[in-house]
């Protein structure tokens, strides 16, 4: 697995996190999307997991030749901010959804 | 009886969080021995979090939706499912990717220790963040289980 640069794995993380956010919000807003996801694997959550995995490795593969910078702090901070923002967005969406506001 | 499966999921996830905390502490020093131990701890954490994903996923798909979710939603804490479980089931997906990234960073660090000063801090921050995220998932899991227990208590007591 060392064929992947840290940079490519960081991009893979961004792709996986935001695919989960987009698919989650879209599926809750549009039942047709949830049905399509469910029909792909038998359950919408399993489909989201598989899509996130595929996007992670595809993105990492596409950017695998990109060289890492000497200082990885910016890349890692970017991944952590991305994960935190994605998680908070999902939480905020479900709070609003529970309150009937989304 | 589905408690063994959810117990396994919780144990795997919590043990993974402990592994990430261990790795984080090893990185405070960052000497060669510490980096090797951090690598081992992170590899164990990665395997454990992936196993927790499979165990929790199987439980969620096969048991939770039909047997637990309706009970929680009729109980005194319906938000335990509608907010916390819905968030947990999606945010949990982030953990294996973060753990994989942390493991790859430690591989680079141990193979290239002269660059250690530059690599050590971001790796340490990522491990701390991973421990925090994994621990938060455990807390959410506890609250979801509390929602189920509160709903059952409403019926029994």
């Amino acid at each position: 697995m060392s064929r992947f640069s840290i940079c490519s794995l960081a991009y893979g993380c961004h792709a996986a996190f935001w695919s989960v956010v987009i698919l989650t919000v879209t599926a809750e807003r549009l039942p047709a999307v949830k049905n399509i996801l469910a029909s792909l694997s038998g359950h919408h959550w399993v489909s989201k997991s598989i899509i996130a995995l595929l996007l992670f490795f595809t993105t990492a593969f596409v950017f695998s030749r990109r060289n890492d910078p000497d200082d990885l702090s910016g890349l890692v901070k970017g991944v952590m901010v991305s994960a935190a923002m994605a998680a908070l967005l999902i939480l905020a969406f479900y709070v609003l959804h529970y309150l009937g506001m989304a | 009886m589905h408690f063994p499966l959810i117990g396994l999921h919780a144990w795997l996830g919590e043990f993974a969080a402990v592994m990430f905390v261990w790795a984080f502490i090893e990185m405070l020093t960052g000497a060669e021995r510490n980096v090797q131990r951090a690598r081992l701890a992170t590899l164990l954490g990665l395997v454990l979090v992936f196993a927790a994903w499979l165990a929790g996923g199987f439980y969620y798909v096969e048991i939770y939706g039909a047997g637990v979710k309706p009970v929680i939603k009729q109980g005194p804490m319906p938000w335990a499912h509608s907010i916390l479980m819905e968030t947990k089931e999606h945010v949990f997906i982030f953990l294996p990717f973060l753990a994989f990234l942390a493991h790859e960073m430690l591989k680079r660090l141990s193979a290239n220790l002269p660059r250690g000063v530059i690599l050590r801090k971001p790796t340490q921050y990522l491990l701390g963040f991973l421990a925090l995220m994994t621990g938060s998932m455990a807390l959410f899991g506890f609250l979801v289980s509390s929602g189920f227990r509160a709903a059952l208590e409403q019926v029994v007591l």
Side-chain angles (χ1 to χ4, degrees):
Chain A
M1 288 299 179
S2 297
R3 68 167 60 189
F4 297 124
S5 63
I6 297 301
C7 189
S8 69
L9 294 174
Y11 291 166
C13 282
H14 290 300
F17 301 161
W18 292 99
S19 72
V20 172
V21 173
I22 292 165
L23 287 172
T24 300
V25 173
T26 312
E28 290 294 345
R29 299 294 299 152
L30 303 169
V33 174
K34 200 168 195 172
N35 292 337
I36 291 168
L37 286 170
S39 67
L40 293 175
S41 66
H43 198 284
H44 66 92
W45 180 82
V46 176
S47 298
K48 286 176 201 166
S49 299
I50 293 169
I51 290 168
L53 261 173
L54 289 174
L55 272 173
F56 175 78
F57 283 109
T58 306
T59 308
F61 181 75
V62 168
F63 291 101
S64 59
R65 286 170 187 268
R66 182 158 290 198
N67 291 329
D68 288 332
D70 282 339
D71 187 354
L72 294 170
S73 302
L75 271 178
V76 173
K77 275 181 196 164
V79 170
M80 290 190 292
V81 168
S82 184
M85 292 300 293
L88 288 173
L89 207 64
I90 291 172
L91 176 64
F93 173 76
Y94 278 113
V95 169
L96 293 174
H97 195 62
Y98 179 69
L99 297 172
M101 297 162 72
Chain B
M1 178 63 78
H2 50 263
F3 297 114
L5 195 53
I6 195 62
L8 177 66
H9 167 69
W11 180 80
L12 290 166
E14 285 163 16
F15 199 13
V18 171
M19 292 297 106
F20 297 134
V21 171
W22 174 23
F24 174 81
I25 292 167
E26 292 287 359
M27 294 304 291
L28 289 172
T29 310
E32 189 174 355
R33 278 186 313 177
N34 301 99
V35 172
Q36 294 307 329
R37 283 199 294 261
R39 229 182 119 176
L40 173 67
T42 307
L43 178 63
L44 285 171
L46 171 62
V47 171
L48 288 164
V49 88
F50 192 77
W53 193 11
L54 295 179
F58 183 80
Y59 167 79
Y60 174 70
V61 170
E62 296 295 327
I63 297 162
Y64 179 87
V68 180
K69 175 180 154 182
V71 178
I72 296 175
K73 290 193 86 166
Q74 286 172 17
M77 295 167 61
W79 48 268
H81 168 79
S82 303
I83 298 174
L84 300 181
M85 186 61 190
E86 293 281 17
T87 302
K88 181 182 185 286
E89 75 188 53
H90 294 105
V91 174
F92 191 93
I93 298 173
F94 301 175
L95 300 182
F97 302 118
L98 290 168
F100 188 70
L101 176 64
H103 180 250
E104 288 296 311
M105 287 185 70
L106 276 160
K107 267 169 77 176
R108 300 293 193 288
L109 183 56
S110 67
N112 200 3
L113 276 171
R115 283 182 69 218
V117 177
I118 300 172
L119 276 170
R120 187 165 68 85
K121 280 291 170 193
T123 309
Q124 190 184 6
Y125 293 148
L126 183 61
L127 287 166
F129 181 72
L130 196 46
L132 194 68
M133 290 278 283
T134 313
S136 301
M137 292 299 98
L139 175 65
F140 275 38
F142 163 75
L143 290 169
V144 173
S145 294
S146 298
F148 184 54
R149 192 165 53 245
L152 293 179
E153 284 172 357
Q154 199 176 42
V155 175
V156 174
L157 301 177

